[in-house]
Amino acid sequence: MFGAVQSCLLVGFEVRTIEVQADIAHGEVRFFLVGLAATSVKEARERVRSAIKNSGLEFPGQRLTVNLAPAELRKEGSALDLPIAVAIALARAGKRPPPHTAFLGELALDGAVRHVDGILVAARGLRALGFERIFVPAADAAEAALIDGLVVTPCLDLKAVVRHLLGIEPIEPYTTSGAEAMAANPGSWEHDLAEVHGQEEGRRALEIAAAGGHHLLLSGPPGAGKTMLARCLPGILPPLELDEALEVAQVRSLLGELPGRQPLDWSRPFRAPHHGVSMAGLIGGGTGLAQPGEISRAHHGVLFLDELAEFQAPVLQALRQPLEAGRVVITRSAGSVSYPARFTLVAATNPCPCGWAGDSIRTCRCTPGGIDSYQRRLSGPLLDRIDLKVGVRRVKLETLASEPTGEGSAAVRERVVAARRRQLDRQGSLNAQLKPARLRKLAALEPAPRRALERWSEQRGLTARGFHRAWRVARTAADLEGCDQIHEQHILEALGYRLQDVAA
């Protein structure tokens, strides 16, 4: 007697189909599980045996062989429990599963079907491969239902699944209203730009960073307002679009962090890891296939690195490739995986170890060598990838005691949204993502601003990367003003944010 069902294995965001085959034959009563199964999958033999018996079903009293194909692909995790049990049940009954159907789920010893991570990623990948129906744990049905064109069958326990497949007691497909699963919840942010006193240059840089997706570095003494400015950035960003929200949800799904009933969150991620974070914590890693790190958790949002110079040098250097590519590729002995990492970096740093170099009131206690050594922790190649560098100075105490006079986040957000809409209508992406060829075509310069860019870039010794990044920032400044052409004042403003390149 033979039975087979389809399932899948996740390799990062890649979905690879697995055929679970069960063969019941005469011979010594044994349970063989073959197909390059890791320890977590081999343990499925005992879970499946107990789940079948405790569900009131009969476990084969013959030689049972379960094969996980393809054999050359290493199988990990507990999501194959349900398909193994279903393949055995169908083999005993001599039934075939519905076509274009996949099964995923972990089994408890009593037969209950339990949550597994990555259901949203699996559902999206399976639908792209032509699957039409998926059986998933009931707790994960809302995730899978986010994918259009996929019939989701929620599984409470193994007995109910088998009775459904045998036509005894059908399970109703999972349905959810648009208001329940897709309701916009942009969230409310604790920090509003209206509470920022002064800091006009920092506010302007924050607005440009939000409008064009540019990376930002804030430098200044302790208590000057660097962290406050950084935490105001999410409040001036627009809510996620549907495709963006699904990508963010996929990362959270892999990590098992999605809520059950409302898996989509429309507010942009804001991640602020401590400066003691490890390479695996920031970039991604772990045992087996690497898991997403903080940069992938911040996808389509903000990654805030406070006390930038205190991070380990290798960790900072590992940021260079994701800052350019918007993705991170992590290679371990178990294989390579790729995760999205299109985030806006906002970093804050002190000018020296004590923090008071250049302060108007307190005296710096550091030696020139100590200041130089501290600043050299931030390498030139890393700083070259940061578009906006702003010095933040302390605000006078009498100013702090008065009511702030600056615009609130809502007013700034309107300009940011309008500028982003111009970029998306013009080129389909934000300015920070423009490659040089498209930059020359879509952000062409008139003779006067072009001469200004070339002259000042040459005098300041900008790299080719710095030259193009200043050009992109100028395009964003023009978009914020609603200008079709980049003018000389936009070029000079953009170059002003790169003056620190010389010091670096």
Side-chain angles (χ1 to χ4, degrees):
M1 292 180 287
F2 177 82
V5 300
Q6 296 291 324
S7 187
C8 72
L9 185 69
L10 301 181
V11 182
F13 270 25
E14 182 182 352
V15 173
R16 300 185 183 178
T17 56
I18 302 294
E19 184 178 26
V20 181
Q21 305 168 341
D23 178 68
I24 304 173
H26 295 292
E28 182 183 1
V29 180
R30 298 284 298 275
F31 186 174
F32 297 98
L33 182 61
V34 297
L36 199 58
T39 302
S40 58
V41 179
K42 289 179 180 179
E43 292 174 347
R45 287 182 299 184
E46 301 309 317
R47 289 195 297 270
V48 168
R49 190 196 309 270
S50 297
I52 290 177
K53 291 181 177 180
N54 291 328
S55 298
L57 305 173
E58 185 178 347
F59 190 82
Q62 298 167 283
R63 179 187 177 94
L64 172 62
T65 303
V66 172
N67 179 43
L68 308 177
E72 71 272 9
L73 184 63
R74 182 175 176 82
K75 322 303 187 302
E76 293 185 343
S78 58
L80 296 177
D81 289 5
L82 179 61
I84 290 173
V86 169
I88 295 171
L90 292 179
R92 286 195 69 259
K95 296 286 187 178
R96 298 177 62 87
H100 312 297
T101 300
F103 296 80
L104 284 168
E106 177 184 327
L107 288 177
L109 297 183
D110 62 356
V113 183
R114 304 180 62 179
H115 157 84
V116 291
D117 295 340
I119 287 293
L120 177 58
V121 180
R124 200 174 196 184
L126 289 169
R127 185 69 190 105
L129 293 172
F131 284 79
E132 299 172 355
R133 180 184 293 271
I134 185 172
F135 285 71
V136 299
D140 301 325
E143 283 188 45
L146 293 173
I147 306 304
D148 291 334
L150 196 63
V151 178
V152 179
T153 302
C155 305
L156 286 172
D157 56 60
L158 177 60
K159 183 177 181 179
V161 174
V162 173
R163 289 174 65 84
H164 170 87
L165 294 172
L166 296 181
I168 300 172
E169 187 176 351
I171 302 174
E172 291 296 322
Y174 182 88
T175 57
T176 179
S177 66
E180 180 183 340
M182 313 290 279
N185 55 336
S188 58
W189 297 100
E190 179 183 357
H191 301 281
D192 193 291
L193 275 174
E195 293 302 316
V196 176
H197 293 74
Q199 306 295 4
E200 285 77 10
E201 187 178 6
R203 292 170 60 101
R204 172 63 175 174
L206 206 67
E207 184 175 340
I208 292 176
H214 304 286
H215 306 307
L216 169 64
L217 174 64
L218 302 168
S219 177
K226 304 185 296 295
T227 300
M228 177 68 173
L229 280 168
R231 293 190 176 275
C232 286
L233 180 55
I236 63 175
L237 290 170
L240 292 166
E241 299 291 337
L242 176 58
D243 286 346
E244 294 175 330
L246 283 172
E247 290 182 7
V248 172
Q250 285 187 96
V251 175
R252 298 183 63 196
S253 176
L254 280 177
L255 297 167
E257 297 177 353
L258 282 186
R261 298 297 296 176
Q262 262 191 341
L264 280 192
D265 187 351
W266 301 90
S267 54
R268 294 186 179 269
F270 182 86
R271 305 296 302 183
H274 186 264
H275 58 75
V277 66
S278 65
M279 179 83 75
L282 186 66
I283 304 301
T287 58
L289 286 173
Q291 291 295 299
E294 290 290 337
I295 63 173
S296 295
R297 291 170 182 256
H299 184 53
H300 288 313
V302 179
L303 177 68
F304 176 44
L305 301 183
D306 201 4
E307 306 294 347
L308 186 65
E310 301 295 338
F311 284 76
Q312 302 175 49
V315 173
L316 290 182
Q317 296 312 307
L319 283 173
R320 287 156 57 176
Q321 183 245 353
L323 286 174
E324 288 284 331
R327 298 193 68 82
V328 59
V329 179
I330 310 168
T331 302
R332 296 289 186 270
S333 59
S336 295
V337 291
S338 175
Y339 293 118
R342 180 74 67 188
F343 56 88
T344 298
L345 172 66
V346 180
T349 185
N350 294 326
C352 65
C354 78
W356 303 109
D359 187 62
S360 58
I361 299 177
R362 300 191 61 168
T363 303
C364 175
R365 305 188 304 272
C366 305
T367 64
I371 296 176
D372 182 68
S373 176
Y374 188 80
Q375 293 180 348
R376 285 182 180 275
R377 295 182 185 179
L378 306 180
S379 69
L382 176 63
L383 292 175
D384 201 33
R385 288 167 168 80
I386 298 178
D387 303 325
L388 309 164
K389 303 180 182 70
V390 177
V392 179
R393 296 175 176 82
R394 70 159 70 220
V395 178
K396 295 181 179 180
L397 296 182
E398 55 267 27
T399 303
L400 292 176
S402 61
E403 287 294 322
T405 58
E407 287 182 300
S409 293
V412 177
R413 189 190 307 116
E414 290 183 6
R415 292 196 297 271
V416 168
V417 170
R420 283 188 169 224
R421 179 52 53 198
R422 292 188 189 96
Q423 296 166 53
L424 295 176
D425 291 343
R426 181 177 61 237
Q427 65 221 18
S429 66
L430 297 183
N431 290 329
Q433 301 166 22
L434 280 177
K435 301 298 182 184
R438 300 195 72 210
L439 184 65
R440 292 191 298 271
K441 179 180 179 181
L442 299 173
L445 296 174
E446 297 293 330
R450 178 170 181 170
R451 284 194 299 271
L453 177 61
E454 293 172 347
R455 180 178 68 254
W456 282 97
S457 297
E458 184 175 0
Q459 290 181 2
R460 297 294 180 178
L462 293 188
T463 64
R465 181 185 291 111
F467 177 86
H468 287 117
R469 285 184 175 273
W471 192 345
R472 296 184 187 107
V473 171
R475 179 63 268 178
T476 300
D479 285 328
L480 281 169
E481 294 182 7
C483 298
D484 293 331
Q485 292 292 328
I486 300 174
H487 300 304
E488 189 169 356
Q489 68 265 25
H490 303 138
I491 293 291
L492 296 178
E493 180 182 13
L495 289 169
Y497 292 118
R498 300 200 69 90
L499 291 180
Q500 192 172 330
D501 281 359
V502 182

